[in-house]
Amino acid sequence: MRNPAVFVPHFHWDREWYEPFQVFRHRLVAALDTVLETAEANPDFRFTVDGQMAAVEDYLEMRPENRDRLVALVTGGQLAIGPWLILLDEFLCSGETIVRNLQMGWAAAAELGGSMPIGYLPDMFGHVAQMPQILARAGIEHAALWRGVPGSVDGHAFRWRAPDGSEVRTEFLFDGYDNGLDVLLVPDQIGRALGEYAEMTADRWGDDPVLAMAGTDHNAPDPRLATWLRRASGDERAITIATLDEYIREHVRDEVSAVVTGELRSHVRGNILPGVLSVRLGLKQRMAVAERTIDHAERLNALWSRRDDSPFLSLAWHKIIESTAHDSVVGSGTDETSDQVEARLAEATHAARAVRDAALAVPAALVPSDACLVANPLPFPRTALVEVDVVAPPSGTVLAATAADGSARPVQMISEAPTVLSDERMDASQLERVLRRIHRRELFGRLIDHYELTPGSLVFHLAEVPASGPFDLLILRREVAAAAAHPGEWRVLTLEEARATALVPVRVPASGLAGFRVEPSDRTPVRPTTSAPATAAAPATATDRTLSNGLVEVAIAADGTLDMTGTDGTVLRGVGRLVDGGDRGDSYNYAPPAQDVLVSEPTEVTVELLEDGPLRARTRVTRVYEWPVALSSDERDLRDSRTVPTPVETLVEVRVGEPFVRVSTSFLNQSADHRLRFHVPLPEPVTVSASAGQFAVTKRGLTAEGGWGEYPIPTFPASSFVSAGAAHVLVDHATEYELVGDGSGIALTLLRAIGSISVNIHPLRDEPAASEIPAPGAQDLGMRVENRFAVVPSSTGWQGANAVALAEDFRNDVLVARGTAPAGGQLPPDAAGLRVDGADILVSSIRRVEGDERGPGTEVRLAAMSDTGSTARVTGAFTEATTVDLLGRPLSATPVTDGLELALGPWEIRTVVVR
């Protein structure tokens, strides 16, 4: 008997893409109306809603009256929903965002009858290594996906294994998520077409039923589908309609011999469209900012605020997760779609920032207004440099930052602000208008300390913290009115107390708070009594062409590149060589013009010393390049002969105590159709790189597996760092990189500017990825393009270089707030929150949770970022710890007396709730 066939009616719903969200939603409502009507009219009909709850939520917002109908179909088994909130691009968000996506999707599905327990990932552009562990630790045993599976899989299923050893049985949609549609093209010929398809793919199925995914993008199945299939079904080939869950659980074998470990980024059975990693740089940067802001907001809210801000945090998370959709943050949509994603990420950041600032305001209320509070979002103590605005000291006066314990640290003066804010001359009749600028005591963003009113002259003296007594605006109005009665010219002068920017070193406890006050130093600084380094760090210094801090050294070459020397003597030469080339590709795939022109040598180089220490040393290198203005208007395989001089500023910085060199690049983009990359040459060629992201450090080679119809360019993503040989680059957003020159260097993409969603004829991709729709905004013309990263020269590998901790330090600045208590009071003592110790431990989340019958608690999610595992020690004000799964369900509880010891296996993700 020939294999039976199981048809899975479904659609794939890109929430926004070549049309903006609301346009697609209008289609969605019509499509789901059809699905509900079809299912209610035919009890044998089944439908799978694409694995994402966003489509369901978007529908019910427009059709709230259909909620009960939808619930009835879910509970009756005709409609499969969940488990995700959105079908995401897994490489362009954090691992924590992936977890929250699953949590929010699962919870939303539970309210409507329950989630499909399948990790359905139909159209993502590759899959992260730890996805099997994420699914398994949420209790999900099966996955189903298409892109990225290697050629070693010759069946329709495999065991997908995460680096920690977790596995999920994975249904391989080897012909895509619409393989059943070709069979349905001629309804009267379904039986014949199905037979031919089954015969062509027989080696894939073995004895299992043929899976026919009957659906595609943005369309409901034909209401007559069930009738067509009943007519085509016969004794020789049984045809069943099922949800994807029913197919996997009821129709196929669980025993699968093929095993694939780690990430799925092969091109062999489908395009993975790697160019999305670098197009529309701004979206990747805004995603990283939003994720960091909500992470900090949750940590501060959990540890320092009693206010329940969960509605704002949920709103922010929802908008972040919506934006991770695989046609959203990737930037492969139209300009109006990308604008919408950018606005949504901004909203998420704003909501999270409000929670963060409100939480920080609670301890700031205990700090005098002439002092500052610093909050450390990371669960380990550190000394951070913060810039603060201070009263400029008189010439020759030394300032120091005094901590709560009386210790003092020297500060570095950065700049002074002008003291004259306005100098105006006016007729006496206009004096009253000046008073309209004053709001109670505020003027020009400062407070009026005092004023001087003499014939023909009114002088305001402003201060951040007034030293004089109360200010009465009504008295001032009366005095000005009397003075204005005498005609004549008046001078109105607004003076601010002399202000300066100071760089202050602050030692902050783990997840903790520390206050300081900057004041004249009239005594020798006292050595801190707690949390102080054992030895004083060497100062940061700089000359015209060198920078050093005793740990790393930088020499600026004549061509503007950097020679860096690390703590262990490792030397990286020529760091920062910029190479600009043409790009005739699209938002999905890079493609060089056939007659490319590479520009790598500047026409002019200038070097400017900005700061020479002792806490921070900075130099700005400006290189001018002649970049072609675009591709030729007549020939896309040729760059235009016209060029535009483009200055690229590179800020090079070393800070006291840091074993890495901070680098920032900035330029005004005036060219179209090009790709710019920053090169980090290696002392010796390598064959392997390693990059960190989504709870893992993934090793990759010099090539990628091809075979489908997409040239396998070996460009890869890095979320927090990329390491190759003796170079380790810390990044602050999802960044595209490639090992170039046969492994002789790392190239980081700073900009990829293109003008179309997809191009019909692409030299490195056989089929269009979408329609050829213009996307001029993806050229970033007239935009200032900025990137920041740091380079660690070290021959000890990424673990020896402590890259996991350094990346967290680099990406997560401390938070600073001005105190709001009366000036002159005592600083409150430093306060510590949760502390986590352990080698290569990543803490991805600390947040408040309601918990179970034990009451509210603080949830901590950790991951062992190594192949040997690690022991994490968690300390703080708690007496009990409960291990929970990734959906928050309790697994085991443990009393705690003196901290919590967690033995984590290799690459293990562990979540605990402490109370």
Side-chain angles (χ1 to χ4, degrees), residues 11-288:
F11 56 42
H12 174 55
W13 208 272
D14 300 295
R15 197 166 183 259
E16 54 202 354
W17 182 17
Y18 56 82
E19 294 282 11
F21 164 58
Q22 295 296 354
V23 173
F24 269 144
R25 173 149 73 171
H26 193 268
R27 300 181 192 177
L28 170 70
V29 170
L32 279 179
D33 280 346
T34 299
V35 168
L36 266 60
E37 293 164 4
T38 303
E40 290 169 340
N42 186 347
D44 294 331
F45 182 78
R46 300 287 189 271
F47 190 80
T48 300
V49 191
D50 203 27
Q52 56 179 335
M53 288 303 299
V56 179
E57 291 183 348
D58 294 341
Y59 174 76
L60 289 179
E61 189 174 343
M62 296 293 105
R63 292 277 194 269
E65 69 276 11
N66 287 345
R67 179 185 176 91
D68 291 343
R69 295 173 63 195
L70 192 144
V71 170
L73 293 173
V74 172
T75 55
Q78 287 185 263
L79 204 62
I81 60 175
W84 302 101
L85 178 60
I86 202 82
L87 291 181
L88 71 162
D89 187 290
E90 300 166 32
F91 292 97
L92 292 177
C93 63
S94 69
E96 186 62 31
T97 298
I98 296 176
V99 171
R100 301 303 180 90
N101 187 343
L102 185 57
Q103 290 176 345
M104 295 185 81
W106 192 271
E111 294 181 357
L112 297 174
S115 176
M116 173 177 70
I118 307 294
Y120 187 44
L121 305 161
D123 198 28
M124 286 71 167
F125 307 150
H127 305 277
V128 297
Q130 287 282 35
M131 183 59 76
Q133 184 179 181
I134 291 172
L135 296 174
R137 289 186 179 267
I140 296 175
E141 300 174 344
H142 298 267
L145 50 83
W146 167 31
R147 304 184 196 264
V149 177
S152 59
V153 176
D154 55 11
H156 72 96
F158 61 96
R159 305 292 308 176
W160 187 14
R161 183 178 296 162
D164 77 312
S166 301
E167 290 185 353
V168 290
R169 181 200 176 278
T170 303
E171 187 67 26
F172 177 25
L173 308 177
F174 59 90
D175 267 349
Y177 53 78
D178 58 357
N179 69 315
L181 289 189
D182 288 348
V183 174
L184 301 174
L185 284 175
V186 183
D188 291 340
Q189 297 294 319
I190 290 175
R192 175 196 57 76
L194 180 59
E196 292 178 359
Y197 178 75
E199 183 177 350
M200 286 188 297
T201 58
D203 291 345
R204 290 276 182 184
W205 303 111
D207 296 329
D208 288 334
V210 173
L211 170 62
M213 298 293 288
T216 188
D217 298 358
H218 316 130
N219 283 286
D222 194 297
R224 297 167 293 178
L225 175 62
T227 301
W228 295 343
L229 295 179
R230 277 196 299 269
R231 185 186 308 144
S233 182
D235 294 336
E236 293 187 5
R237 187 180 303 282
I239 296 177
T240 304
I241 297 180
T243 63
L244 183 61
D245 181 27
E246 289 172 331
Y247 171 78
I248 291 174
R249 292 184 175 274
E250 300 176 11
H251 295 278
V252 298
R253 297 166 291 118
D254 277 342
E255 299 80 14
V256 179
S257 58
V259 177
V260 178
T261 299
E263 73 175 3
L264 306 179
R265 288 193 63 85
S266 169
H267 306 252
V268 73
R269 291 297 303 181
N271 297 334
I272 65 168
L273 311 170
V276 300
L277 297 174
S278 51
V279 73
R280 296 194 192 266
L281 167 70
L283 291 182
K284 281 65 173 176
Q285 293 175 324
R286 289 176 180 87
M287 173 62 70

Side-chain angles (χ1 to χ4, degrees), residues 423-440:
D423 187 354
E424 306 166 276
R425 295 187 180 275
M426 62 186 66
D427 187 78
S429 62
Q430 301 298 309
L431 283 178
E432 177 63 27
R433 298 178 61 187
V434 172
L435 302 185
R436 296 175 193 169
R437 303 170 181 170
I438 302 171
H439 301 86
R440 288 169 292 280

Side-chain angles (χ1 to χ4, degrees), residues 582-766:
D583 191 342
R584 60 142 300 172
D586 52 32
S587 66
Y588 291 101
N589 295 81
Y590 159 78
Q595 302 178 59
D596 201 2
V597 174
L598 298 180
V599 180
S600 60
E601 299 302 322
T603 59
E604 180 183 344
V605 178
T606 58
V607 181
E608 180 185 4
L609 176 62
L610 301 179
E611 299 172 17
D612 59 3
L615 301 176
R616 183 175 72 189
R618 280 179 163 180
T619 298
R620 180 166 54 224
V621 181
T622 303
R623 291 173 284 178
V624 180
Y625 296 86
E626 291 288 339
W627 291 342
V629 295
L631 295 178
S632 170
S633 57
D634 300 322
E635 174 56 61
R636 287 190 58 78
D637 270 318
L638 182 67
R639 297 190 82 177
D640 201 301
S641 59
R642 296 171 299 162
T643 62
V644 56
T646 305
V648 180
E649 295 181 354
T650 302
L651 184 66
V652 188
E653 175 182 324
V654 296
R655 298 183 181 183
V656 63
E658 289 186 342
F660 51 80
V661 181
R662 294 174 181 257
V663 179
S664 302
T665 62
S666 175
F667 63 93
L668 182 68
N669 184 43
Q670 304 171 79
S671 299
D673 311 315
H674 69 126
R675 180 182 70 172
L676 178 66
R677 301 207 287 186
F678 182 101
H679 285 244
V680 182
L682 303 175
E684 299 290 339
V686 298
T687 58
V688 174
S689 66
S691 78
Q694 298 83 33
F695 304 118
V697 178
T698 302
K699 293 182 179 179
R700 305 183 178 104
L702 298 177
T703 61
E705 184 181 36
W708 173 257
E710 179 181 60
Y711 187 83
I713 292 178
T715 52
F716 299 108
S719 292
S720 60
F721 70 80
V722 56
S723 171
H728 319 282
V729 184
L730 317 178
V731 297
D732 77 339
H733 64 272
T735 301
E736 176 188 84
Y737 79 91
E738 181 181 359
L739 284 184
V740 294
D742 295 324
S744 63
I746 305 171
L748 303 173
T749 304
L750 302 185
L751 174 70
R752 199 167 72 82
I754 52 87
S756 181
I757 290 179
S758 177
V759 293
N760 292 335
I761 305 299
H762 194 293
L764 303 183
R765 189 186 65 231
D766 288 350

Side-chain angles (χ1 to χ4, degrees), residues 362-707:
V362 175
L366 304 177
V367 175
S369 60
D370 59 344
C372 292
L373 177 73
V374 176
N376 178 13
L378 297 179
F380 51 80
R382 57 177 172 158
T383 298
L385 297 182
V386 298
E387 289 187 11
V388 293
D389 181 63
V390 298
V391 177
S395 178
T397 303
V398 176
L399 295 183
T402 304
D405 63 0
S407 61
R409 292 171 179 262
V411 305
Q412 177 180 331
M413 302 305 296
I414 302 300
S415 63
E416 289 197 19
T419 58
V420 179
L421 300 185
S422 71
D423 187 354
E424 306 166 276
R425 295 187 180 275
M426 62 186 66
D427 187 78
S429 62
Q430 301 298 309
L431 283 178
E432 177 63 27
R433 298 178 61 187
V434 172
L435 302 185
R436 296 175 193 169
R437 303 170 181 170
I438 302 171
H439 301 86
R440 288 169 292 280
R441 193 168 191 166
E442 181 269 328
L443 176 61
F444 295 162
R446 298 294 184 187
L447 298 179
I448 296 175
D449 182 77
H450 64 282
Y451 62 90
E452 300 168 359
L453 182 61
T454 58
S457 174
L458 174 57
V459 181
F460 292 104
H461 294 270
L462 310 184
E464 186 174 24
V465 180
S468 61
F471 169 78
D472 194 325
L473 181 58
L474 294 179
I475 293 177
L476 173 62
R477 288 186 180 280
R478 186 176 66 239
E479 292 177 350
V480 168
H486 304 283
E489 184 181 71
W490 280 70
R491 183 187 187 190
V492 178
L493 188 62
T494 305
L495 303 177
E496 182 182 20
E497 61 185 343
R499 308 295 299 181
T501 301
L503 191 63
V504 180
V506 184
R507 183 69 175 173
V508 199
S511 303
L513 308 170
F516 70 89
R517 180 185 279 115
V518 176
E519 52 193 0
S521 177
D522 55 0
R523 55 190 174 89
T524 303
V526 178
R527 190 175 186 81
T529 57
T530 60
S531 303
T535 58
T541 60
T543 66
D544 290 344
R545 290 274 176 173
T546 65
L547 302 94
S548 177
N549 65 359
L551 298 175
V552 288
E553 296 180 359
V554 183
I556 302 171
D559 63 356
T561 61
L562 312 173
D563 294 341
M564 300 181 180
T565 304
T567 305
D568 62 356
T570 296
V571 180
L572 303 177
R573 300 190 185 279
V575 174
R577 179 171 176 259
L578 298 178
V579 179
D580 183 79
D583 191 342
R584 60 142 300 172
D586 52 32
S587 66
Y588 291 101
N589 295 81
Y590 159 78
Q595 302 178 59
D596 201 2
V597 174
L598 298 180
V599 180
S600 60
E601 299 302 322
T603 59
E604 180 183 344
V605 178
T606 58
V607 181
E608 180 185 4
L609 176 62
L610 301 179
E611 299 172 17
D612 59 3
L615 301 176
R616 183 175 72 189
R618 280 179 163 180
T619 298
R620 180 166 54 224
V621 181
T622 303
R623 291 173 284 178
V624 180
Y625 296 86
E626 291 288 339
W627 291 342
V629 295
L631 295 178
S632 170
S633 57
D634 300 322
E635 174 56 61
R636 287 190 58 78
D637 270 318
L638 182 67
R639 297 190 82 177
D640 201 301
S641 59
R642 296 171 299 162
T643 62
V644 56
T646 305
V648 180
E649 295 181 354
T650 302
L651 184 66
V652 188
E653 175 182 324
V654 296
R655 298 183 181 183
V656 63
E658 289 186 342
F660 51 80
V661 181
R662 294 174 181 257
V663 179
S664 302
T665 62
S666 175
F667 63 93
L668 182 68
N669 184 43
Q670 304 171 79
S671 299
D673 311 315
H674 69 126
R675 180 182 70 172
L676 178 66
R677 301 207 287 186
F678 182 101
H679 285 244
V680 182
L682 303 175
E684 299 290 339
V686 298
T687 58
V688 174
S689 66
S691 78
Q694 298 83 33
F695 304 118
V697 178
T698 302
K699 293 182 179 179
R700 305 183 178 104
L702 298 177
T703 61
E705 184 181 36

